[in-house]
Amino acid sequence: MNPEDFPTPDAEVETVEPETLRDSIDAGEDVTLLDARMSSEYEEWRIDGENVESINVPYFQFLDEEIDDDVLAKIPDDREVTVLCAKGGASEYVAGTLAERGYDVNHLEDGMNGWARIYDAVEVTGYDGAGSLYQYQRPSSGCLGYLVVDGDEAAVIDPLRAFTDRYLDDAAEFGADLEYAIDTHVHADHISGVRELDEFSGSSRAERDEGVRELDEAGVEGVIPEAAVDRGVTYADDVTLAADGDTFAVGDATIETVYTPGHTTGMTSYLVDDSFLATGDGLFVESVARPDLEEGDDGAPDAARTLHESLHERVLTLPDDTIVGGAHASDAAEDQAAADGTYTAAVGELVERMDALSMDEESFVETVLADMPPRPANYEEIIAANLGQNAVDDEEAFTLELGPNNCAASQESLAGD
């Protein structure tokens, strides 16, 4: 049913903003959620947490005037319950129906779509290069990105199309112009914002509710790995291609290109002022990359060998205190977050706690391939969009990337005791 098709209950219910719910979960408050989506959607993707009790009762079980007692018995009547659905229509109806029966309920504004629009910027306090470094965090999918700011210049690494205006606004808040929008690879779980940002030229303007913002004369320079072009990138002539060893200046900070294939043939990391390595999907704080999204199951063993080589020759050779941050964080990363709240860790720390980083090549390959999680939802369509082979509008792009990212190998098989 469409949201407008649900009848309006007599009882009014309070609406909870996604950010408010997120703050309650982060603060360790006990939260009870009633997820009214279909069970298949719930099993694939939901809001979790150590202090979150999540109950799945599909909305259609509340459509009859006489709701089955077994359904009502599943819903706690001794605490506040937040009802949610995909977009907010079904949850408002279900919450109103329950309120009429005396339950203490509210509902999540815009449902899981609203949850997917949460995007936080957290400073990486361990970074000691020029300027400042911030990690963008999208709790709904675990997507991570990075903003480097020094003086009046800024760069974003692994931007999301859904938040292109956010990067421009954040740079402006720091009194900086966004000089570069950089991708580590052709992403399989979200639509990249590099091309969208690159389209802002000296004569471009971003239409905003509060007015019009004019960018500096140079505009934003889109950057993708040169090694990714052979996958079929259609817009390579319109952006800058980064080859191994190339550097980009952001104020006094330097971003160096470090070619680290394995997750994909074009996978590239970026070393920021010799202090921080943005590893894309090559290495995470809780796992390493899965090697099957580009080459499939048949090519995965060779890709895993390439990943092992990249890690041991390009990443683990860096000083132990070099901070690493990937493009994603899974639920397993909750326990691995740094003291500053970012999903980052020093190279030496990762080697100590992740057995996979000390394995020989064949053991590494066997372990990585042993327990592969499901592939990201819609990953083939997302890859085609990021290659420029398939045009999608903003709404379709946002819908395609809803759900878990699943770009890492199994955490349980790779981690230490």
Side-chain angles (χ1 to χ4, degrees):
M1 292 178 66
N2 294 320
E4 59 269 18
D5 294 334
F6 287 96
T8 302
D10 292 335
E12 292 187 5
V13 294
E14 180 183 352
T15 298
V16 175
E17 294 184 357
E19 291 81 4
T20 302
L21 176 62
R22 184 274 319 277
D23 290 344
S24 296
I25 294 173
D26 288 350
E29 299 175 15
D30 290 332
V31 172
T32 302
L33 303 178
L34 171 58
D35 195 318
R37 294 176 299 153
M38 301 300 288
S39 297
S40 58
E41 297 174 293
Y42 175 80
E43 291 299 329
E44 181 180 357
W45 180 50
R46 59 181 179 268
I47 301 174
D48 276 325
E50 290 185 1
N51 49 311
V52 175
E53 179 184 357
S54 181
I55 305 161
N56 178 223
V57 183
Y59 70 88
F60 64 81
Q61 297 192 28
F62 297 92
L63 293 177
D64 294 334
E65 186 172 338
E66 293 297 326
I67 302 174
D68 193 291
D69 288 342
D70 290 340
V71 171
L72 295 176
K74 298 176 182 178
I75 303 163
D77 58 6
D78 59 348
R79 76 199 79 152
E80 184 178 60
V81 175
T82 297
V83 187
L84 63 96
C85 62
K87 299 180 180 180
S91 62
E92 183 176 19
Y93 168 76
V94 171
T97 300
L98 290 171
E100 291 174 350
R101 289 162 172 77
Y103 286 86
D104 182 9
V105 293
N106 53 48
H107 84 103
L108 183 64
E109 183 178 9
D110 296 329
M112 292 299 286
N113 278 14
W115 185 251
R117 295 192 185 279
I118 298 177
Y119 203 52
D120 299 317
V122 184
E123 185 172 8
V124 182
T125 59
Y127 169 74
D128 63 1
S132 301
L133 177 70
Y134 295 84
Q135 182 181 72
Y136 287 109
Q137 302 175 352
R138 191 183 195 183
S140 64
S141 63
C143 286
L144 306 175
Y146 300 91
L147 184 72
V148 183
V149 185
D150 188 44
D152 60 358
E153 295 185 335
V156 60
I157 300 173
D158 284 334
L160 311 184
R161 177 170 163 180
F163 299 97
T164 50
D165 285 342
R166 170 70 182 275
Y167 307 122
L168 295 164
D169 290 342
D170 284 357
E173 283 289 322
F174 289 109
D177 290 320
L178 191 63
E179 301 292 333
Y180 300 104
I182 303 171
D183 257 347
T184 55
H185 65 297
V186 178
H187 292 276
D189 68 302
H190 66 261
I191 306 298
S192 166
V194 163
R195 278 190 296 159
E196 197 85 359
L197 287 164
D198 184 75
E199 290 176 0
F200 288 100
S201 65
S203 60
S204 296
R205 284 161 172 74
E207 298 294 341
R208 312 291 294 162
D209 292 340
E210 65 273 16
V212 178
R213 186 212 300 104
E214 183 174 357
L215 301 182
D216 69 358
E217 185 176 349
V220 180
E221 184 175 341
V223 180
I224 65 172
E226 181 180 63
V229 172
D230 287 343
R231 290 189 67 182
V233 173
T234 64
Y235 53 92
D237 292 340
D238 300 326
V239 295
T240 297
L241 304 182
D244 187 44
D246 285 352
T247 60
F248 302 88
V250 179
D252 290 332
T254 299
I255 301 177
E256 180 184 353
T257 304
V258 182
Y259 182 44
T260 52
H263 174 64
T264 65
T265 52
M267 182 69 240
T268 297
S269 300
Y270 294 95
L271 183 61
V272 183
D273 229 29
D274 293 323
S275 175
F276 172 81
L277 186 69
T279 52
D281 286 1
L283 177 62
F284 312 102
V285 298
E286 77 282 18
S287 185
V288 301
R290 62 183 304 159
D292 63 325
L293 294 183
E294 179 180 349
E295 302 293 343
D297 292 338
D298 291 342
D302 283 342
R305 293 185 185 94
T306 300
L307 176 60
H308 183 271
E309 180 180 348
S310 292
L311 291 172
H312 283 268
E313 294 188 5
R314 308 307 306 274
V315 177
L316 303 183
T317 54
L318 293 171
D320 283 351
D321 61 354
T322 305
I323 300 172
V324 168
H328 300 290
S330 68
D331 291 341
E334 293 288 335
D335 296 332
Q336 310 290 356
D340 60 8
T342 64
Y343 299 102
T344 59
V347 167
E349 181 183 350
L350 289 176
V351 172
E352 286 184 3
R353 75 185 189 204
M354 201 181 303
D355 287 349
L357 299 182
S358 300
M359 292 178 180
D360 60 38
E361 182 182 275
E362 288 309 311
S363 297
F364 177 87
V365 172
E366 181 180 354
T367 301
V368 167
L369 300 180
D371 187 22
M372 204 76 70
R375 291 184 171 97
N378 305 315
Y379 78 100
E380 291 175 320
E381 293 95 331
I382 291 173
I383 289 173
N386 284 332
L387 289 171
Q389 298 173 351
N390 183 28
V392 295
D393 61 26
D394 289 346
E395 183 177 354
E396 184 180 359
F398 182 80
T399 301
L400 279 173
E401 61 191 24
L402 293 175
N405 62 73
N406 288 343
C407 284
S410 172
Q411 292 81 30
E412 292 183 4
S413 61
L414 297 170
D417 295 332

